[in-house]
Tab-separated table of all heavy atoms in Angstrom:
chain	number	residue	atom	x	y	z
A	18	THR	N	-31.089	30.827	-80.345
A	18	THR	CA	-31.164	30.861	-81.803
A	18	THR	C	-30.149	29.900	-82.405
A	18	THR	O	-30.455	29.195	-83.367
A	18	THR	CB	-30.911	32.295	-82.323
A	18	THR	OG1	-31.911	33.151	-81.764
A	18	THR	CG2	-30.991	32.361	-83.833
A	19	SER	N	-28.970	29.840	-81.832
A	19	SER	CA	-27.928	28.979	-82.395
A	19	SER	C	-28.166	27.502	-82.111
A	19	SER	O	-27.909	26.664	-82.963
A	19	SER	CB	-26.547	29.396	-81.896
A	19	SER	OG	-26.393	29.108	-80.529
A	20	GLN	N	-28.672	27.154	-80.921
A	20	GLN	CA	-28.854	25.732	-80.614
A	20	GLN	C	-30.312	25.286	-80.662
A	20	GLN	O	-30.584	24.093	-80.572
A	20	GLN	CB	-28.207	25.368	-79.280
A	20	GLN	CG	-28.823	25.941	-78.047
A	20	GLN	CD	-28.036	25.607	-76.791
A	20	GLN	OE1	-26.846	25.325	-76.824
A	20	GLN	NE2	-28.707	25.647	-75.665
A	21	GLY	N	-31.245	26.212	-80.802
A	21	GLY	CA	-32.651	25.857	-80.960
A	21	GLY	C	-33.435	25.771	-79.664
A	21	GLY	O	-34.655	25.609	-79.689
A	22	TYR	N	-32.794	25.867	-78.544
A	22	TYR	CA	-33.453	25.765	-77.244
A	22	TYR	C	-32.482	26.263	-76.179
A	22	TYR	O	-31.307	26.526	-76.457
A	22	TYR	CB	-33.856	24.326	-76.924
A	22	TYR	CG	-32.666	23.389	-76.837
A	22	TYR	CD1	-32.013	23.181	-75.640
A	22	TYR	CD2	-32.178	22.741	-77.969
A	22	TYR	CE1	-30.913	22.360	-75.551
A	22	TYR	CE2	-31.078	21.911	-77.894
A	22	TYR	CZ	-30.447	21.724	-76.678
A	22	TYR	OH	-29.338	20.911	-76.600
A	23	LEU	N	-32.959	26.373	-74.953
A	23	LEU	CA	-32.113	26.665	-73.798
A	23	LEU	C	-32.296	25.564	-72.771
A	23	LEU	O	-33.350	24.932	-72.715
A	23	LEU	CB	-32.505	27.995	-73.154
A	23	LEU	CG	-32.258	29.256	-73.943
A	23	LEU	CD1	-32.813	30.466	-73.193
A	23	LEU	CD2	-30.782	29.447	-74.229
A	24	CYS	N	-31.296	25.346	-71.969
A	24	CYS	CA	-31.388	24.463	-70.812
A	24	CYS	C	-31.532	25.347	-69.572
A	24	CYS	O	-31.139	26.512	-69.590
A	24	CYS	CB	-30.124	23.625	-70.668
A	24	CYS	SG	-29.815	22.525	-72.030
A	25	LEU	N	-32.054	24.779	-68.521
A	25	LEU	CA	-32.150	25.537	-67.274
A	25	LEU	C	-30.763	25.983	-66.819
A	25	LEU	O	-30.607	27.073	-66.280
A	25	LEU	CB	-32.830	24.701	-66.198
A	25	LEU	CG	-34.314	24.428	-66.426
A	25	LEU	CD1	-34.847	23.490	-65.356
A	25	LEU	CD2	-35.106	25.714	-66.443
A	26	ASP	N	-29.760	25.157	-67.073
A	26	ASP	CA	-28.386	25.524	-66.709
A	26	ASP	C	-27.925	26.775	-67.445
A	26	ASP	O	-27.139	27.553	-66.908
A	26	ASP	CB	-27.424	24.371	-66.986
A	26	ASP	CG	-27.598	23.218	-66.018
A	26	ASP	OD1	-28.194	23.434	-64.944
A	26	ASP	OD2	-27.133	22.108	-66.337
A	27	ASP	N	-28.390	26.953	-68.688
A	27	ASP	CA	-28.035	28.163	-69.442
A	27	ASP	C	-28.539	29.404	-68.718
A	27	ASP	O	-27.825	30.404	-68.600
A	27	ASP	CB	-28.634	28.130	-70.856
A	27	ASP	CG	-28.081	27.018	-71.718
A	27	ASP	OD1	-26.906	26.644	-71.544
A	27	ASP	OD2	-28.835	26.532	-72.590
A	28	ILE	N	-29.759	29.323	-68.230
A	28	ILE	CA	-30.358	30.467	-67.531
A	28	ILE	C	-29.663	30.691	-66.190
A	28	ILE	O	-29.306	31.823	-65.847
A	28	ILE	CB	-31.871	30.256	-67.340
A	28	ILE	CG1	-32.560	30.139	-68.701
A	28	ILE	CG2	-32.482	31.391	-66.519
A	28	ILE	CD1	-33.998	29.690	-68.642
A	29	LEU	N	-29.442	29.625	-65.453
A	29	LEU	CA	-28.809	29.752	-64.149
A	29	LEU	C	-27.380	30.269	-64.261
A	29	LEU	O	-26.932	31.054	-63.425
A	29	LEU	CB	-28.834	28.410	-63.413
A	29	LEU	CG	-30.221	27.895	-63.037
A	29	LEU	CD1	-30.124	26.510	-62.418
A	29	LEU	CD2	-30.918	28.855	-62.110
A	30	SER	N	-26.663	29.855	-65.294
A	30	SER	CA	-25.285	30.320	-65.462
A	30	SER	C	-25.227	31.825	-65.730
A	30	SER	O	-24.229	32.480	-65.425
A	30	SER	CB	-24.576	29.548	-66.567
A	30	SER	OG	-25.121	29.847	-67.831
A	31	CYS	N	-26.291	32.377	-66.287
A	31	CYS	CA	-26.350	33.828	-66.512
A	31	CYS	C	-26.367	34.578	-65.187
A	31	CYS	O	-25.933	35.732	-65.130
A	31	CYS	CB	-27.577	34.196	-67.338
A	31	CYS	SG	-27.345	33.893	-69.085
A	32	GLY	N	-26.860	33.945	-64.142
A	32	GLY	CA	-26.849	34.579	-62.831
A	32	GLY	C	-25.439	34.944	-62.407
A	32	GLY	O	-25.190	36.057	-61.945
A	33	GLU	N	-24.517	34.018	-62.605
A	33	GLU	CA	-23.118	34.272	-62.263
A	33	GLU	C	-22.459	35.179	-63.291
A	33	GLU	O	-21.745	36.111	-62.941
A	33	GLU	CB	-22.356	32.962	-62.166
A	33	GLU	CG	-22.775	32.095	-61.008
A	33	GLU	CD	-21.999	30.805	-60.955
A	33	GLU	OE1	-20.854	30.757	-61.434
A	33	GLU	OE2	-22.547	29.826	-60.426
A	34	LEU	N	-22.700	34.897	-64.555
A	34	LEU	CA	-22.053	35.628	-65.642
A	34	LEU	C	-22.396	37.114	-65.627
A	34	LEU	O	-21.543	37.965	-65.875
A	34	LEU	CB	-22.449	35.006	-66.989
A	34	LEU	CG	-21.763	35.527	-68.228
A	34	LEU	CD1	-20.267	35.259	-68.180
A	34	LEU	CD2	-22.356	34.863	-69.470
A	35	PHE	N	-23.646	37.440	-65.303
A	35	PHE	CA	-24.106	38.830	-65.322
A	35	PHE	C	-24.366	39.388	-63.918
A	35	PHE	O	-25.012	40.425	-63.771
A	35	PHE	CB	-25.359	38.957	-66.199
A	35	PHE	CG	-25.092	38.675	-67.645
A	35	PHE	CD1	-25.300	37.420	-68.172
A	35	PHE	CD2	-24.593	39.671	-68.473
A	35	PHE	CE1	-25.029	37.152	-69.508
A	35	PHE	CE2	-24.326	39.417	-69.813
A	35	PHE	CZ	-24.540	38.152	-70.333
A	36	ASN	N	-23.880	38.684	-62.897
A	36	ASN	CA	-24.011	39.125	-61.504
A	36	ASN	C	-25.455	39.440	-61.119
A	36	ASN	O	-25.753	40.502	-60.569
A	36	ASN	CB	-23.123	40.346	-61.229
A	36	ASN	CG	-21.659	40.027	-61.395
A	36	ASN	OD1	-21.207	38.967	-60.987
A	36	ASN	ND2	-20.924	40.926	-62.015
A	37	LEU	N	-26.349	38.506	-61.412
A	37	LEU	CA	-27.759	38.687	-61.091
A	37	LEU	C	-28.067	38.066	-59.741
A	37	LEU	O	-27.502	37.037	-59.369
A	37	LEU	CB	-28.634	38.017	-62.159
A	37	LEU	CG	-28.421	38.469	-63.599
A	37	LEU	CD1	-29.293	37.638	-64.535
A	37	LEU	CD2	-28.711	39.943	-63.758
A	38	ASP	N	-28.992	38.670	-59.005
A	38	ASP	CA	-29.425	38.033	-57.767
A	38	ASP	C	-30.545	37.045	-58.082
A	38	ASP	O	-30.991	36.927	-59.226
A	38	ASP	CB	-29.826	39.073	-56.707
A	38	ASP	CG	-31.013	39.928	-57.103
A	38	ASP	OD1	-31.794	39.517	-57.988
A	38	ASP	OD2	-31.186	41.009	-56.517
A	39	VAL	N	-30.988	36.334	-57.082
A	39	VAL	CA	-31.983	35.271	-57.279
A	39	VAL	C	-33.267	35.809	-57.905
A	39	VAL	O	-33.832	35.196	-58.810
A	39	VAL	CB	-32.287	34.564	-55.934
A	39	VAL	CG1	-33.406	33.548	-56.096
A	39	VAL	CG2	-31.045	33.885	-55.397
A	40	ASP	N	-33.726	36.962	-57.459
A	40	ASP	CA	-34.943	37.553	-58.019
A	40	ASP	C	-34.764	37.903	-59.495
A	40	ASP	O	-35.690	37.748	-60.294
A	40	ASP	CB	-35.353	38.804	-57.245
A	40	ASP	CG	-35.846	38.484	-55.841
A	40	ASP	OD1	-36.304	37.352	-55.614
A	40	ASP	OD2	-35.774	39.381	-54.974
A	41	ASP	N	-33.563	38.364	-59.855
A	41	ASP	CA	-33.300	38.691	-61.253
A	41	ASP	C	-33.279	37.443	-62.124
A	41	ASP	O	-33.756	37.450	-63.261
A	41	ASP	CB	-31.969	39.436	-61.398
A	41	ASP	CG	-32.027	40.846	-60.843
A	41	ASP	OD1	-33.148	41.389	-60.704
A	41	ASP	OD2	-30.958	41.401	-60.550
A	42	VAL	N	-32.718	36.347	-61.612
A	42	VAL	CA	-32.709	35.083	-62.363
A	42	VAL	C	-34.134	34.595	-62.564
A	42	VAL	O	-34.500	34.121	-63.638
A	42	VAL	CB	-31.841	34.016	-61.658
A	42	VAL	CG1	-31.969	32.664	-62.343
A	42	VAL	CG2	-30.379	34.455	-61.622
A	43	GLU	N	-34.958	34.743	-61.554
A	43	GLU	CA	-36.373	34.358	-61.672
A	43	GLU	C	-37.068	35.216	-62.727
A	43	GLU	O	-37.814	34.709	-63.564
A	43	GLU	CB	-37.077	34.499	-60.327
A	43	GLU	CG	-38.505	34.001	-60.346
A	43	GLU	CD	-39.148	34.048	-58.968
A	43	GLU	OE1	-38.446	34.027	-57.961
A	43	GLU	OE2	-40.384	34.112	-58.937
A	44	ARG	N	-36.813	36.506	-62.717
A	44	ARG	CA	-37.400	37.412	-63.717
A	44	ARG	C	-36.878	37.081	-65.109
A	44	ARG	O	-37.631	37.091	-66.073
A	44	ARG	CB	-37.076	38.870	-63.362
A	44	ARG	CG	-37.589	39.864	-64.367
A	44	ARG	CD	-39.124	39.906	-64.409
A	44	ARG	NE	-39.549	40.729	-65.515
A	44	ARG	CZ	-40.461	40.389	-66.401
A	44	ARG	NH1	-41.086	39.228	-66.300
A	44	ARG	NH2	-40.778	41.186	-67.385
A	45	LEU	N	-35.590	36.752	-65.222
A	45	LEU	CA	-35.011	36.356	-66.504
A	45	LEU	C	-35.700	35.109	-67.043
A	45	LEU	O	-36.031	35.039	-68.231
A	45	LEU	CB	-33.506	36.118	-66.344
A	45	LEU	CG	-32.746	35.679	-67.584
A	45	LEU	CD1	-32.846	36.708	-68.699
A	45	LEU	CD2	-31.288	35.405	-67.227
A	46	THR	N	-35.953	34.154	-66.179
A	46	THR	CA	-36.672	32.943	-66.586
A	46	THR	C	-38.066	33.293	-67.085
A	46	THR	O	-38.515	32.769	-68.113
A	46	THR	CB	-36.762	31.955	-65.407
A	46	THR	OG1	-35.446	31.671	-64.940
A	46	THR	CG2	-37.443	30.659	-65.824
A	47	ASP	N	-38.745	34.184	-66.397
A	47	ASP	CA	-40.076	34.626	-66.832
A	47	ASP	C	-40.017	35.284	-68.206
A	47	ASP	O	-40.877	35.034	-69.057
A	47	ASP	CB	-40.684	35.608	-65.820
A	47	ASP	CG	-41.059	34.961	-64.507
A	47	ASP	OD1	-41.167	33.716	-64.454
A	47	ASP	OD2	-41.213	35.707	-63.510
A	48	VAL	N	-39.002	36.117	-68.434
A	48	VAL	CA	-38.864	36.800	-69.728
A	48	VAL	C	-38.616	35.782	-70.838
A	48	VAL	O	-39.183	35.888	-71.932
A	48	VAL	CB	-37.734	37.856	-69.679
A	48	VAL	CG1	-37.430	38.407	-71.056
A	48	VAL	CG2	-38.107	38.983	-68.728
A	49	VAL	N	-37.795	34.777	-70.571
A	49	VAL	CA	-37.538	33.719	-71.560
A	49	VAL	C	-38.840	33.003	-71.907
A	49	VAL	O	-39.161	32.805	-73.082
A	49	VAL	CB	-36.473	32.724	-71.032
A	49	VAL	CG1	-36.423	31.461	-71.874
A	49	VAL	CG2	-35.105	33.390	-70.988
A	50	ILE	N	-39.618	32.645	-70.907
A	50	ILE	CA	-40.892	31.945	-71.124
A	50	ILE	C	-41.877	32.845	-71.860
A	50	ILE	O	-42.557	32.394	-72.796
A	50	ILE	CB	-41.470	31.456	-69.781
A	50	ILE	CG1	-40.583	30.343	-69.219
A	50	ILE	CG2	-42.918	30.977	-69.952
A	50	ILE	CD1	-40.899	29.964	-67.785
A	51	GLU	N	-41.954	34.120	-71.474
A	51	GLU	CA	-42.867	35.063	-72.126
A	51	GLU	C	-42.544	35.244	-73.610
A	51	GLU	O	-43.426	35.554	-74.408
A	51	GLU	CB	-42.798	36.431	-71.430
A	51	GLU	CG	-43.438	36.447	-70.064
A	51	GLU	CD	-43.106	37.711	-69.274
A	51	GLU	OE1	-42.441	38.618	-69.816
A	51	GLU	OE2	-43.511	37.767	-68.101
A	52	ASN	N	-41.292	35.036	-73.980
A	52	ASN	CA	-40.865	35.186	-75.373
A	52	ASN	C	-40.875	33.864	-76.128
A	52	ASN	O	-40.306	33.759	-77.212
A	52	ASN	CB	-39.483	35.835	-75.429
A	52	ASN	CG	-39.571	37.318	-75.176
A	52	ASN	OD1	-39.829	38.085	-76.089
A	52	ASN	ND2	-39.398	37.739	-73.926
A	53	ASN	N	-41.530	32.863	-75.540
A	53	ASN	CA	-41.732	31.553	-76.176
A	53	ASN	C	-40.440	30.877	-76.608
A	53	ASN	O	-40.390	30.207	-77.633
A	53	ASN	CB	-42.683	31.678	-77.373
A	53	ASN	CG	-44.047	32.157	-76.965
A	53	ASN	OD1	-44.603	31.693	-75.969
A	53	ASN	ND2	-44.592	33.116	-77.692
A	54	ILE	N	-39.403	31.044	-75.811
A	54	ILE	CA	-38.149	30.346	-76.063
A	54	ILE	C	-38.254	28.972	-75.402
A	54	ILE	O	-38.651	28.858	-74.240
A	54	ILE	CB	-36.948	31.139	-75.518
A	54	ILE	CG1	-36.846	32.469	-76.270
A	54	ILE	CG2	-35.667	30.332	-75.644
A	54	ILE	CD1	-35.802	33.405	-75.734
A	55	ILE	N	-37.902	27.950	-76.145
A	55	ILE	CA	-38.017	26.583	-75.651
A	55	ILE	C	-36.970	26.332	-74.573
A	55	ILE	O	-35.786	26.608	-74.764
A	55	ILE	CB	-37.831	25.573	-76.800
A	55	ILE	CG1	-38.942	25.748	-77.831
A	55	ILE	CG2	-37.781	24.140	-76.271
A	55	ILE	CD1	-38.712	24.987	-79.118
A	56	ILE	N	-37.421	25.808	-73.444
A	56	ILE	CA	-36.520	25.399	-72.371
A	56	ILE	C	-36.555	23.881	-72.313
A	56	ILE	O	-37.589	23.284	-72.050
A	56	ILE	CB	-36.928	25.999	-71.016
A	56	ILE	CG1	-36.916	27.526	-71.096
A	56	ILE	CG2	-36.000	25.496	-69.918
A	56	ILE	CD1	-37.443	28.209	-69.860
A	57	ASN	N	-35.419	23.272	-72.597
A	57	ASN	CA	-35.305	21.822	-72.618
A	57	ASN	C	-34.620	21.376	-71.336
A	57	ASN	O	-33.453	21.676	-71.119
A	57	ASN	CB	-34.492	21.402	-73.851
A	57	ASN	CG	-34.453	19.912	-74.035
A	57	ASN	OD1	-34.950	19.159	-73.218
A	57	ASN	ND2	-33.849	19.477	-75.127
A	58	ASN	N	-35.338	20.641	-70.500
A	58	ASN	CA	-34.773	20.178	-69.243
A	58	ASN	C	-33.779	19.044	-69.430
A	58	ASN	O	-32.959	18.795	-68.580
A	58	ASN	CB	-35.877	19.716	-68.296
A	58	ASN	CG	-36.732	20.861	-67.828
A	58	ASN	OD1	-36.269	21.981	-67.704
A	58	ASN	ND2	-37.996	20.593	-67.591
A	59	HIS	N	-33.889	18.344	-70.555
A	59	HIS	CA	-33.028	17.199	-70.825
A	59	HIS	C	-32.440	17.334	-72.218
A	59	HIS	O	-32.980	16.779	-73.178
A	59	HIS	CB	-33.816	15.896	-70.716
A	59	HIS	CG	-34.512	15.741	-69.407
A	59	HIS	ND1	-33.842	15.450	-68.240
A	59	HIS	CD2	-35.808	15.875	-69.056
A	59	HIS	CE1	-34.710	15.397	-67.245
A	59	HIS	NE2	-35.910	15.650	-67.707
A	60	PRO	N	-31.340	18.078	-72.343
A	60	PRO	CA	-30.744	18.230	-73.678
A	60	PRO	C	-30.290	16.892	-74.225
A	60	PRO	O	-29.983	15.967	-73.466
A	60	PRO	CB	-29.557	19.154	-73.442
A	60	PRO	CG	-29.249	19.044	-71.998
A	60	PRO	CD	-30.539	18.710	-71.316
A	61	LYS	N	-30.273	16.792	-75.528
A	61	LYS	CA	-29.897	15.550	-76.191
A	61	LYS	C	-28.453	15.205	-75.850
A	61	LYS	O	-27.555	16.023	-76.002
A	61	LYS	CB	-30.051	15.691	-77.705
A	61	LYS	CG	-29.773	14.434	-78.462
A	61	LYS	CD	-30.000	14.639	-79.942
A	61	LYS	CE	-29.694	13.387	-80.708
A	61	LYS	NZ	-29.853	13.574	-82.145
A	62	VAL	N	-28.267	13.988	-75.373
A	62	VAL	CA	-26.929	13.521	-75.032
A	62	VAL	C	-26.571	12.423	-76.026
A	62	VAL	O	-27.315	11.459	-76.205
A	62	VAL	CB	-26.880	12.968	-73.593
A	62	VAL	CG1	-25.508	12.391	-73.284
A	62	VAL	CG2	-27.270	14.036	-72.600
A	63	GLU	N	-25.446	12.604	-76.678
A	63	GLU	CA	-24.993	11.607	-77.640
A	63	GLU	C	-24.361	10.437	-76.881
A	63	GLU	O	-23.418	10.611	-76.101
A	63	GLU	CB	-23.970	12.209	-78.600
A	63	GLU	CG	-24.545	13.302	-79.473
A	63	GLU	CD	-25.571	12.803	-80.477
A	63	GLU	OE1	-25.428	11.638	-80.929
A	63	GLU	OE2	-26.500	13.538	-80.778
Side-chain angles (χ1 to χ4, degrees):
T18 300
S19 70
Q20 68 185 23
Y22 62 90
L23 293 175
C24 297
L25 291 175
D26 289 342
D27 295 329
I28 299 170
L29 295 175
S30 68
C31 281
E33 292 180 27
L34 186 63
F35 294 95
N36 297 319
L37 303 176
D38 63 21
V39 175
D40 291 336
D41 289 340
V42 173
E43 185 175 336
R44 177 66 188 132
L45 179 60
T46 304
D47 291 343
V48 171
V49 167
I50 292 169
E51 288 168 4
N52 283 275
N53 298 316
I54 296 174
I55 297 169
I56 300 174
N57 186 355
N58 292 329
H59 305 287
K61 184 178 179 182
V62 176
E63 296 293 329

